[in-house]
Amino acid sequence: MTFHLWLHRLRVMTRKELLHLGRDTALLLFIIYGFTIDVYMAGAGFPFELRNAPFVLLDNDRSEFSRELAGNFQPPLFQLVADVTVPEMSQNLLDRGKALAELEIPPDFYESLRTGRQTEVRMNISATDNVPALLFTSYAEQIISNYGFETVGMHHSGLSESGITTLPVVDDQLRIWFNANLEDSWFMALVELFTIISILSIMLPAAAFVREKEKGTIEQLRVSPLSPVLIIVPKILSMTMVIIGGTFVSIFFVIQPLFDMPLSGNMPLFFLVTAFYVFSTAGIGIAAASIVRTQGQVAMLVILLIMPMLLLSGSWTPPEAMPDIIRICIIALPLYHYFEAGLGIIFRDAGLGQIWPSVLGLSIIGALAFQFGLWRVQR
Amino acid sequence: MSNTIVQVENFGKKYKRLSVIDNVSLSVGKGEIHGLIGPDGSGKSSLLKAIAGVLDFDQGVIRVFGINVNSEKAAEKIKGRIGFMPQGLGQNLYAELSVEENIDFFAQLRRVPQKVLETRKARLLEMTRLEQFKGRSMKHLSGGMKQKLGLVCSLIHHPELVILDEPTTGVDPVSRRDFWVILSQLLEEFGITAVVSTAYMDEASRFHRVSLMYNGKLFAQGRPEEIRALASGSVVIVRALPQAEAFTTLKARYPQVQPIGHHLRVFVRDKEPGPAEEIIRNSLSDVQLEECYSLEPELEDVFVALLAGRNGHNSTGPGITVRKTREIKAGEGSDPAIWAKDLVQDFGAFRAVDRLSFEVPQGEIFGLLGANGAGKTTAIKMLAGILPPSSGDGRVAGIDMRKAVQSIKSRVGYMSQAFSLYEDLTALENLRLYGGIYGLSGGLLKERIAETLALTDLQEHGSELTQGLPMGVRQRLALACALLHRPSILFLDEPTSGVDPLGRRRFWEILFHLSREKGVTILVTTHYMNEAEHCDHLVLMYAGCSVADATPAEMKRALQEEAGDLLELTVDRPMPVLELLASNGFGDAAIFGNCVHLLTHSIDETISGVRLLLESNGLPLHKARKIPLSMEDVFVYRVTALEQHTSEGQLA
Amino acid sequence: MNHQRILAVAKREWREIYRDRLFLSLAFVFPITMMLAFAYGLSLDVEDIPIAVLDQDRSELSREYIHRFTDSRYFNFLGYLNHPDEIDELLTTQRIRAAIVIPDHFQSNLQEGRPAPVQHLLDGTFTTRARTTKGYMIAITRAFEKDVVIDFLSQRLGVSPQQVTEQLAPIKVQVRYLYNQAVESSQSLPPRLIVLVLLVASPFLTVVGIVREKENGSIYNMYASNTSREEYLIGKLMPYASIAAINALLLWAIAVWVFQAPFKGSAVLFISATLLYVLCTTVIGLVISVFVRTQVAGVLITAILTIVGGMLYSGVLTPVSMLSEDNQLVCHLLPAMYYTEIVDGVFLRNVGLTVLWPNLLVLAAYTVLLLIVGYAKFTKRPKT
């Protein structure tokens, strides 16, 4: 068989897959939705910053100072939901989840500050969600210590009279790499994009393959001079093309303009790695499709594969925070490698020199899945 | 009219904006078995579902037991009194449940009291001969057994009306006959009215009254013999040489000419058998006439004649004219086109094909016949190179199938049992795809597509989406796809199932043309027994083995020698007649509508004996005559004998 | 309504599930595997952050400063670096998430009362974690700085460190964490995963169970018999709701025994809330299956609704209070969040019916509403 003929058949079969997709309006709409609106919503809707954190004030002092301090807890970070007089009331609000924290100011607050005695403000923070609890703590502590030092402490410490002009403070200059302003939208939109890419790249070729099995058209292909490779590869190739196209639209027409994300990384490399990822994942989809008989079964199997992939590949928990055993297991997940490589290129401007282990991982997973699928088709 | 069970007036149903059935009226009286006959897509299922109260519809009025079924609430009122079996082999049954569990479930749904259930179940299982399989799970039953179980489940609550949607589709002829016998027994025993649909024209005689449907329209209605009388005439069978020339000559004058093996079958309208034969003899004065006799027309002839008359189209497409060229005689080539020797296919412990051997000369139409699961499809898959055989040898187009699978693949065309086209592509896109797969491109591809479209008469459908095409057109398209690369051998696995008679005839004309004109060898499997007659040569398969290997004529002759001629008895009540005959030593008698068929070596003696027997039991015999044996008779006889042999072997 | 018919439908459904090994194993293995994998693998705690230090001062004070990080449970000190370029390499390859650069004269600057610059470098890819990490680094630095300043001032001003402390930081802050004293997600996450796993697993089984029947045509047995809609729906849902209930019990056992989640509240409350939630998720499956015709469509829609809904809008992984207002609204429109609050309530908060009754009410209303939709849309005489 000449290479020319092989290429011709590849082209014919790939065009066929694209035609199928083009005729499936519902699926097309779903794909377009996934790459645009869904990605946008994830990017816009999940800024993980403390926002209007509800707190209760139990002001036992009710003085000028206590008012002033409580007044420093302002939106958009904080939101006073109740100014109560008895602890039971604040406890109730905390129990019911209506308040994240309680700020309790002691009765001698004004008196102590005025007389230069140390006083103690208490915070009871609901820690059922640890991220907001910790954020609340750190912001609140800063506010309180600043208030104490600037408003009250400075006047009483005698520093002004001592002639000391500077203090031995640690001037910590924070430099955040890769996403200097901690734009959640960049991260969330990319994670959602990767999720959509994953779901589509595993589901579309698998469904296309099982549909041929169910309809019986696969028989017709197997009796033709097509090799198993030419039955499988066009399905993967066509979906890769579609997904790459969707990714392109998503990045250049949704994420970049709407979230002002700078694309400093090597974008051709990113698309290359994406294509590689789609190819590997599609291989897994085909492998799954090759062992089942009906579309219902393949759908169940795909969910079984996709759930851990989405949750454990690093979007919710970075690998270093996982137990060793899980960390070893997730090496088998292609999304884990894509995550490393894709985010590496976009955020960290990583080149092939840095991401080659991920590319290697993707190749091994893809090759294994592909080989399995081929072996099943041949039988 | 208290006697009318079902009354349908001007029924119509649309799916989205597409009307699938329109302006249909019919009525079914108490105790009647009413048949809805028509090809796939004629709207039968929609009508049946609407009658059963499980489908909302747009037009008309349906009354069942006098209740107007026009809302879900009204439909609920009739549901306790009806039984419904939807289309599809065992589709309404539960695969994981055993036979008995299935029956019990239906009984519980219908709240049949336990005691009543036990006696009914015992009786129904006995009649359907399913009691020994009580514990077997449904998924392990054969197609025929599934349908019998489905019937039992729909009858367990003794409904007054039972609605069966294509209960015999996909069931082999033996099981089909069995099914009909059981159905008519049950209905008579319990006094149940039935509305049954079928795609098989030859089943018309099973009904008291039939409604012929086509394309969502009611076509004709009445008793089978009344319908038959709508287009009177005779069928003349001739054997003339050269066949192609005779075909061309006849085709010019008679719309309904079918090549059947080496014979031609002509339907001559409005003529008695004698004059019809005469006319045909005269028109074939140019060629050498070897044989000529006449038969009574079948319902299918009438159907095609009515259809042709109504639609005003000729049964032959314009693209098919058999030119007067040298007739390629079957077997002329030196090497056989297909040669199979001791082919075996094992699936685990199950042997699907067992030492199958046969040869197909070049240019021959070769048929593989057999019940579901006999191994036909497996055999064809092995030869087509999809399934490597467990052992045995085969040569296709002179190439060893074990060694050079790829080079075989480019020389054969294949149409699989399941529909092999992509429904969301247009006809042309399908053709381009298959052309491309076989390496055709550019001008050559265009040329081939044009040529194939002309051959299959599909030019006008090129840019239509395949899913919207009628079954018959799709099937021709599938054939066109298999022909683009000009294969010398065609493998066709049940190519015509679900296609209307007109479409089937056209399809066979193309096959005939390919075989006789282009010398293409065709290996075909079919479950339409009248199609088996089209083949030059047949192999009958049973349980993976070849049990007969001969021409259709030879097979019939062998049956005649072994079991005698076929005698048709026309009676009023076939059921007691059958029972009476069975108890008097005529075990293999079978019911066809109002007729009973039986095989006998001595026609005259049997007639007088049977007449005496029936009349002494108060059962009038209206007519008794010898009729020609059909391939179905051969099939049923052979397979029944083998089944008996097998079950005796199992018992012993 | 006839209970025999309901039982007949339920029994048949159960037999079919039981004999379909693939389906049966999926019904139980899937939720348990997910629970184990996620409870082990997911951690919302920001701990053991890999960090490296480039100490150019190599002084006593710089070492003390670094010790504050190495002693913390939040950081995992990977070692000293020799060259600034190494930071670049390590951050890019994600071997470290944070780095500290301490320039020359750190100690001398501090000892002489001058501000001493240090550089904190942070990987901002995972924004949430980066933000928390930033908070830790600032807190540790301020604590260190405070000690340095106090030492400095008490020396210069000649007062006791105690006095300096009181004057510099006149307001002490005492923080007490309620419900989860250690602020560890290992306490709160496993019980909450019950919410997520049940949300994905139960509707999915129901959808496949019902749509399978629609697809293969055996649903016509129901259409054509005088079994009523409610008899069919109840009988059909019973096995799936039971499976989900058994799963809920298993998940609870895993959370409590394997992951040592505290169970503080009322068992009766938890069980009844869980049964309600299980019923609710099962009915979600029913509603989806009424609207779709094929299993693929059913599973796809279920997957998107439940996976996306469960990950983003249930409050399990993303605290509802931190979302944008639109998304908070979405959370309130979906049932999962209400059950998450109940789970938090009985596992962590130890609150009872007096606090949680509105949540139970919402779940019940939701279930009833969905049942009504499912019942109304399920017809025995469909259009197609």
Side-chain angles (χ1 to χ4, degrees):
Chain A
M1 190 173 53
T2 64
F3 181 67
H4 177 75
L5 183 60
W6 192 88
L7 218 58
H8 174 64
R9 285 176 173 154
L10 182 70
R11 199 169 56 230
V12 168
M13 289 295 285
T14 309
R15 192 175 57 206
K16 155 189 167 272
E17 297 299 332
L18 291 173
L19 277 173
H20 284 315
L21 196 63
R23 300 273 150 83
D24 195 337
T25 320
L27 191 59
L28 270 183
L29 286 177
F30 172 70
I31 292 173
I32 292 169
Y33 163 82
F35 280 115
T36 56
I37 300 173
D38 189 66
V39 167
Y40 172 75
M41 276 172 56
F46 294 89
F48 286 108
E49 184 50 280
L50 211 53
R51 71 167 49 234
N52 296 337
F55 74 99
V56 200
L57 178 65
L58 178 57
D59 186 354
N60 294 317
D61 191 38
R62 302 198 169 263
S63 64
E64 180 196 332
F65 285 173
S66 70
R67 295 281 146 205
E68 232 173 69
L69 176 66
N72 280 346
F73 288 77
Q74 283 294 328
L77 282 181
F78 303 98
Q79 174 81 55
L80 178 68
V81 288
D83 187 352
V84 300
T85 48
V86 284
E88 287 72 26
M89 285 171 75
S90 55
Q91 185 65 43
N92 179 277
L93 286 168
L94 284 165
D95 280 346
R96 282 170 43 214
K98 297 293 172 207
L100 179 64
E102 178 209 42
L103 185 66
E104 188 185 335
I105 299 176
D108 58 350
F109 187 69
Y110 180 81
E111 206 46 41
S112 309
L113 287 182
R114 207 177 54 78
T115 55
R117 264 183 299 120
Q118 206 177 19
T119 182
E120 184 180 273
V121 167
R122 256 186 266 175
M123 287 199 297
N124 286 321
I125 299 174
S126 164
T128 47
D129 283 313
N130 50 358
V131 177
L134 292 173
L135 284 177
F136 193 98
T137 313
S138 87
Y139 286 123
E141 279 181 340
Q142 271 183 51
I143 288 176
I144 295 170
S145 84
N146 282 352
Y147 177 77
F149 183 71
E150 286 165 15
T151 316
V152 191
M154 284 291 266
H155 306 296
H156 296 274
S157 58
L159 266 183
S160 28
E161 303 99 62
S162 69
I164 298 171
T165 48
T166 56
L167 284 174
V169 291
V170 179
D171 176 15
D172 45 340
Q173 297 150 359
L174 183 67
R175 259 191 62 210
I176 300 177
W177 286 39
F178 314 134
N179 184 354
N181 296 320
L182 293 182
E183 297 278 0
D184 290 299
S185 57
W186 298 357
F187 181 68
M188 285 307 286
L190 277 179
V191 166
E192 192 62 18
L193 173 63
F194 288 6
T195 303
I196 295 290
I197 292 175
S198 308
I199 291 180
L200 291 179
S201 59
I202 199 167
M203 198 85 174
L204 290 181
F209 188 54
V210 173
R211 192 175 52 198
E212 294 228 28
K213 280 215 299 196
E214 257 186 339
K215 294 248 171 186
T217 44
I218 190 93
E219 301 274 272
Q220 202 67 42
L221 297 181
R222 289 182 56 206
V223 80
S224 74
L226 291 177
S227 58
V229 174
L230 271 174
I231 296 178
I232 292 179
V233 171
K235 294 198 188 328
I236 302 181
L237 193 63
S238 55
M239 298 310 161
T240 309
M241 284 158 64
V242 170
I243 292 169
I244 289 292
T247 310
F248 187 86
V249 169
S250 196
I251 286 194
F252 290 107
F253 294 95
V254 178
I255 300 179
Q256 190 191 25
L258 296 179
F259 302 126
D260 291 322
M261 191 168 87
L263 296 171
S264 53
N266 181 348
M267 290 318 279
L269 181 65
F270 172 75
F271 281 101
L272 204 69
V273 170
T274 305
F276 216 66
Y277 168 65
V278 175
F279 222 81
S280 304
T281 316
I284 295 181
I286 294 274
S290 69
I291 57 172
V292 299
R293 267 169 299 131
T294 65
Q295 301 222 33
Q297 285 174 329
V298 84
M300 294 206 281
L301 206 58
V302 163
I303 299 295
L304 206 65
L305 292 170
I306 205 104
M307 269 286 274
M309 216 161 105
L310 292 181
L311 278 162
L312 294 178
S313 286
S315 46
W316 296 99
T317 302
E320 73 262 12
M322 293 180 180
D324 291 343
I325 191 161
I326 301 273
R327 214 152 58 185
I328 291 164
C329 291
I330 63 170
I331 292 176
L333 302 175
L335 182 55
Y336 161 71
H337 299 287
Y338 180 51
F339 220 84
E340 300 269 306
L343 291 184
I345 296 167
I346 288 194
F347 282 138
R348 289 187 279 277
D349 201 8
L352 203 56
Q354 279 96 24
I355 59 161
W356 67 267
S358 307
V359 176
L360 183 70
L362 281 178
S363 335
I364 293 171
I365 296 165
L368 287 177
F370 197 73
Q371 203 51 46
F372 181 80
L374 270 186
W375 173 70
R376 293 285 312 186
V377 173
Q378 262 156 351
R379 276 168 25 117
Chain B
M1 272 208 306
S2 62
N3 237 2
T4 307
I5 301 289
V6 181
Q7 180 80 44
V8 178
E9 285 161 25
N10 305 323
F11 173 77
K13 170 75 192 161
K14 286 181 185 139
Y15 289 104
K16 291 182 184 153
R17 270 161 302 154
L18 196 72
S19 169
V20 291
I21 180 165
D22 187 28
N23 203 17
V24 167
S25 301
L26 58 88
S27 75
V28 180
K30 193 166 166 54
E32 178 179 328
I33 306 181
H34 194 98
L36 288 181
I37 307 185
D40 276 10
S42 58
K44 304 188 301 286
S45 285
S46 301
L47 178 55
L48 289 183
K49 283 180 185 164
I51 295 175
V54 298
L55 182 73
D56 198 0
F57 53 90
D58 313 294
Q59 284 167 30
V61 177
I62 293 181
R63 282 177 207 282
V64 180
F65 309 120
I67 295 164
N68 187 352
V69 188
N70 55 3
S71 68
E72 183 163 345
K73 210 170 168 192
E76 287 305 289
K77 288 189 208 144
I78 62 164
K79 285 181 181 168
R81 298 160 75 187
I82 60 166
F84 175 62
M85 187 169 144
Q87 195 176 353
L89 268 187
Q91 292 265 281
N92 66 326
L93 302 171
Y94 301 96
E96 303 292 337
L97 266 56
S98 71
V99 169
E100 191 169 20
E101 283 167 342
N102 264 296
I103 300 174
D104 288 349
F105 170 66
F106 279 83
Q108 283 160 355
L109 266 192
R110 300 296 193 160
R111 300 186 65 194
V112 179
Q114 194 62 34
K115 263 196 192 143
V116 181
L117 169 64
E118 290 308 324
T119 48
R120 265 187 215 167
K121 186 163 64 180
R123 173 76 186 121
L124 286 165
L125 284 174
E126 184 202 329
M127 284 178 76
T128 49
R129 298 190 304 283
L130 284 172
E131 66 267 66
Q132 49 177 324
F133 306 109
K134 257 191 339 199
R136 190 181 284 189
S137 61
M138 187 290 263
K139 62 182 173 191
H140 294 134
L141 296 180
S142 73
M145 275 150 76
K146 281 178 189 163
Q147 292 310 80
K148 286 195 282 188
L149 176 60
L151 185 63
V152 170
C153 290
S154 344
L155 293 178
I156 193 74
H157 58 297
H158 277 191
E160 293 162 58
L161 169 68
V162 62
I163 296 158
L164 310 173
D165 195 359
E166 300 206 5
T168 53
T169 295
V171 178
D172 64 88
V174 180
S175 307
R176 260 166 66 195
R177 279 194 184 188
D178 195 32
F179 184 88
W180 284 111
V181 171
I182 291 165
L183 180 67
S184 34
Q185 270 177 343
L186 284 172
L187 297 186
E188 177 150 332
E189 188 170 322
F190 303 133
I192 298 172
T193 309
V195 184
V196 187
S197 70
T198 178
Y200 298 93
M201 289 286 149
D202 57 347
E203 288 183 338
S205 52
R206 312 276 181 181
F207 304 109
H208 296 127
R209 294 201 320 131
V210 297
S211 296
L212 277 190
M213 295 183 61
Y214 186 75
N215 251 343
K217 296 271 193 306
L218 192 63
F219 204 71
Q221 202 171 47
R223 298 158 60 84
E225 54 271 27
E226 287 168 5
I227 301 239
R228 212 162 273 149
L230 287 175
S232 64
S234 301
V235 168
V236 179
I237 310 279
V238 290
R239 183 180 160 93
L241 288 174
Q243 191 185 13
E245 204 166 309
F247 179 79
T248 318
T249 312
L250 289 174
K251 193 82 203 170
R253 294 186 202 175
Y254 303 97
Q256 292 194 55
V257 184
Q258 291 172 272
I260 297 193
H262 299 289
H263 295 81
L264 293 171
R265 186 179 187 281
V266 195
F267 180 61
V268 187
R269 273 202 77 164
D270 307 322
K271 290 281 187 285
E272 292 293 312
E277 271 176 57
E278 198 54 42
I279 299 174
I280 297 296
R281 275 178 203 281
N282 291 340
S283 26
L284 289 180
S285 49
D286 296 356
V287 295
Q288 183 191 342
L289 197 64
E290 296 202 328
E291 215 178 335
C292 180
Y293 60 93
S294 59
L295 294 173
E296 284 211 14
E298 288 168 22
L299 189 69
E300 189 173 308
D301 298 306
V302 175
F303 185 82
V304 174
L306 291 175
L307 214 58
R310 165 173 289 208
N311 298 358
H313 63 196
N314 194 302
S315 73
T316 316
I320 313 161
T321 45
V322 182
R323 273 153 274 136
K324 289 189 188 178
T325 51
R326 185 183 65 92
E327 182 149 324
I328 298 167
K329 275 201 172 165
E332 199 177 74
S334 49
D335 264 349
I338 305 168
W339 176 79
K341 179 82 180 136
D342 292 330
L343 282 181
V344 173
Q345 183 63 253
D346 290 318
F347 296 118
F350 173 65
R351 178 157 286 194
V353 170
D354 190 8
R355 281 165 293 145
L356 181 68
S357 303
F358 60 81
E359 256 177 50
V360 186
Q362 274 173 28
E364 191 172 85
I365 302 180
F366 187 92
L368 279 181
L369 283 187
N372 288 325
K376 307 184 297 284
T377 299
T378 312
I380 219 167
K381 279 186 180 169
M382 283 193 281
L383 290 165
I386 306 177
L387 201 62
S390 307
S391 70
D393 292 312
R395 296 177 82 81
V396 175
I399 303 165
D400 190 333
M401 57 180 264
R402 303 192 73 121
K403 285 181 188 144
V405 177
Q406 286 299 332
S407 54
I408 289 180
K409 282 179 173 175
S410 53
R411 294 191 189 196
V412 304
Y414 174 79
M415 255 177 85
S416 58
Q417 188 173 17
F419 203 56
S420 54
L421 296 167
Y422 294 99
E423 300 197 348
D424 49 355
L425 302 188
T426 65
L428 269 178
E429 282 165 350
N430 265 298
L431 284 166
R432 284 196 205 113
L433 169 67
Y434 282 110
I437 288 173
Y438 284 92
L440 302 173
S441 59
L444 185 60
L445 178 64
K446 264 194 193 135
E447 194 182 300
R448 289 280 180 88
I449 287 179
E451 173 192 311
T452 316
L453 280 177
L455 175 69
T456 49
D457 188 22
L458 288 168
Q459 293 98 326
E460 55 188 297
H461 299 293
S463 54
E464 287 173 49
L465 278 187
T466 309
Q467 59 197 3
L469 296 174
M471 231 14 194
V473 178
R474 288 199 213 177
Q475 226 60 26
R476 291 211 303 278
L477 176 59
L479 181 66
C481 289
L483 287 174
L484 276 175
H485 61 292
R486 290 194 179 151
S488 61
I489 297 169
L490 267 182
F491 291 102
L492 310 173
D493 195 3
E494 304 213 343
T496 54
S497 52
V499 179
D500 61 277
L502 209 66
R504 289 217 304 274
R505 288 188 178 190
R506 240 164 140 174
F507 189 82
W508 276 96
E509 272 173 20
I510 299 169
L511 294 189
F512 179 73
H513 169 83
L514 287 169
S515 153
R516 300 298 187 264
E517 284 276 294
K518 313 252 178 190
V520 176
T521 311
I522 298 168
L523 179 66
V524 60
T525 69
T526 179
H527 64 265
Y528 288 103
M529 287 303 139
N530 56 6
E531 284 187 359
E533 319 242 7
H534 292 272
C535 300
D536 297 316
H537 201 99
L538 290 172
V539 157
L540 179 59
M541 288 183 74
Y542 178 77
C545 305
S546 157
V547 291
D549 182 347
T551 65
E554 281 165 4
M555 284 195 180
K556 287 186 212 165
R557 208 170 306 131
L559 175 64
Q560 194 182 17
E561 275 162 24
E562 204 176 316
D565 292 309
L566 190 62
L567 179 62
E568 184 184 76
L569 309 168
T570 311
V571 294
D572 283 338
R573 293 172 56 210
M575 211 60 234
V577 171
L578 188 76
E579 278 162 24
L580 192 65
L581 288 173
S583 59
N584 281 281
F586 298 100
D588 48 7
I591 298 184
F592 287 82
N594 281 342
C595 300
V596 174
H597 287 185
L598 58 92
L599 286 164
T600 174
H601 278 293
S602 44
I603 290 279
D604 296 336
E605 266 172 57
T606 310
I607 292 180
S608 50
V610 165
R611 174 157 300 177
L612 205 65
L613 179 68
L614 293 187
E615 274 164 9
S616 64
N617 280 282
L619 296 162
L621 176 63
H622 298 301
K623 199 167 151 193
R625 58 175 191 134
K626 179 189 155 185
I627 55 169
L629 283 166
S630 68
M631 269 318 294
E632 179 165 334
D633 297 308
V634 174
F635 184 87
V636 171
Y637 183 84
R638 294 284 169 220
V639 171
T640 313
L642 286 161
E643 271 174 357
Q644 268 164 8
H645 183 74
T646 318
S647 61
E648 275 160 23
Q650 277 172 352
L651 289 176
Chain C
M1 252 202 305
N2 177 278
H3 73 277
Q4 275 173 326
R5 277 210 196 104
I6 297 176
L7 279 182
V9 174
K11 208 161 89 189
R12 194 221 72 224
E13 192 68 28
W14 171 248
R15 274 188 177 142
E16 284 215 285
I17 299 168
Y18 181 73
R19 290 183 193 163
D20 184 343
R21 296 292 148 163
L22 178 76
F23 197 76
L24 184 72
S25 50
L26 222 56
F28 291 105
V29 173
F30 175 63
I32 290 172
T33 324
M34 293 299 113
M35 178 76 178
L36 290 173
F38 298 155
Y40 271 120
L42 283 179
S43 167
L44 304 178
D45 299 326
V46 185
E47 281 179 13
D48 296 325
I49 304 151
I51 193 168
V53 179
L54 178 64
D55 183 1
Q56 289 166 332
D57 194 42
R58 293 174 192 277
S59 60
E60 204 182 318
L61 264 182
S62 73
R63 265 192 298 278
E64 203 196 312
Y65 180 53
I66 293 160
H67 270 295
R68 302 275 178 132
F69 285 89
T70 56
D71 290 347
S72 156
R73 73 162 163 150
Y74 298 124
F75 291 94
N76 178 18
F77 177 64
L78 291 184
Y80 288 103
L81 305 173
N82 298 317
H83 196 272
D85 289 350
E86 285 177 89
I87 298 177
D88 198 284
E89 174 70 17
L90 288 170
L91 275 174
T92 310
T93 54
Q94 308 191 68
R95 304 253 298 283
I96 58 171
R97 297 284 176 201
I100 300 170
V101 180
I102 305 173
D104 283 341
H105 312 301
F106 178 73
Q107 178 164 299
S108 53
N109 278 337
L110 291 178
Q111 280 171 344
E112 286 155 30
R114 285 193 304 272
V118 294
Q119 237 181 33
H120 291 172
L121 303 166
L122 208 55
D123 175 353
T125 316
F126 292 80
T127 44
T128 342
R129 303 180 79 85
R131 201 169 286 124
T132 313
T133 310
K134 181 178 106 182
Y136 294 153
M137 295 179 92
I138 291 173
I140 290 176
T141 306
R142 290 287 89 77
F144 170 79
E145 178 189 86
K146 198 173 96 188
D147 292 350
V148 173
V149 170
I150 287 165
D151 274 354
F152 173 78
L153 285 179
S154 74
Q155 276 175 23
R156 284 291 174 94
L157 302 173
V159 284
S160 71
Q162 177 67 25
Q163 273 175 302
V164 179
T165 311
E166 284 182 4
Q167 306 223 314
L168 267 187
I171 312 172
K172 284 207 312 196
V173 181
Q174 198 201 34
V175 177
R176 197 162 66 97
Y177 291 109
L178 303 174
Y179 316 126
N180 178 6
Q181 274 84 357
V183 205
E184 279 177 342
S185 72
S186 60
Q187 293 275 300
S188 59
L189 195 60
R192 283 175 169 198
L193 283 173
I194 300 177
V195 182
L196 183 63
V197 172
L198 286 179
L199 181 66
V200 176
S202 352
F204 175 61
L205 291 177
T206 323
V207 167
V208 172
I210 295 181
V211 182
R212 182 165 62 172
E213 212 172 342
K214 268 176 135 178
E215 226 175 5
N216 69 19
S218 59
I219 192 96
Y220 278 103
N221 296 332
M222 301 304 141
Y223 292 168
S225 77
N226 43 359
T227 310
S228 67
R229 284 191 275 175
E230 57 272 22
E231 285 165 352
Y232 170 69
L233 291 179
I234 295 172
K236 187 84 189 177
L237 287 181
M238 261 164 62
Y240 294 106
S242 314
I243 290 175
I246 294 169
N247 278 330
L249 191 73
L250 291 173
L251 297 181
W252 173 83
I254 292 175
V256 170
W257 283 314
V258 180
F259 296 104
Q260 308 284 318
F263 187 81
K264 298 172 182 164
S266 144
V268 178
L269 174 66
F270 177 67
I271 289 169
S272 38
T274 302
L275 286 181
L276 209 53
Y277 179 66
V278 155
L279 200 61
C280 187
T281 52
T282 315
V283 177
I284 291 177
L286 165 75
V287 172
I288 294 174
S289 50
V290 169
F291 287 98
V292 300
R293 226 174 307 159
T294 62
Q295 289 186 58
V296 181
V299 171
L300 239 167
I301 293 173
T302 314
I304 288 164
L305 283 182
T306 60
I307 294 182
V308 173
M311 289 198 316
L312 299 183
Y313 301 102
S314 65
V316 171
L317 299 174
T318 53
V320 176
S321 65
M322 297 176 75
L323 305 183
S324 72
E325 259 144 55
D326 294 347
N327 281 4
Q328 285 196 21
L329 184 71
V330 176
C331 293
H332 283 84
L333 290 176
L334 299 177
M337 185 202 82
Y338 299 95
Y339 183 61
T340 308
E341 288 182 355
I342 296 177
V343 168
D344 280 350
V346 292
F347 271 94
L348 299 170
R349 291 183 205 266
N350 186 21
V351 292
L353 199 59
T354 43
V355 168
L356 294 174
W357 66 266
N359 293 54
L360 280 172
L361 205 65
V362 171
L363 282 183
Y366 219 97
T367 311
V368 171
L369 187 80
L370 288 176
L371 265 177
I372 291 172
V373 172
Y375 179 77
K377 281 283 160 192
F378 181 83
T379 169
K380 286 179 72 183
R381 202 162 158 273
K383 284 246 171 233
T384 51

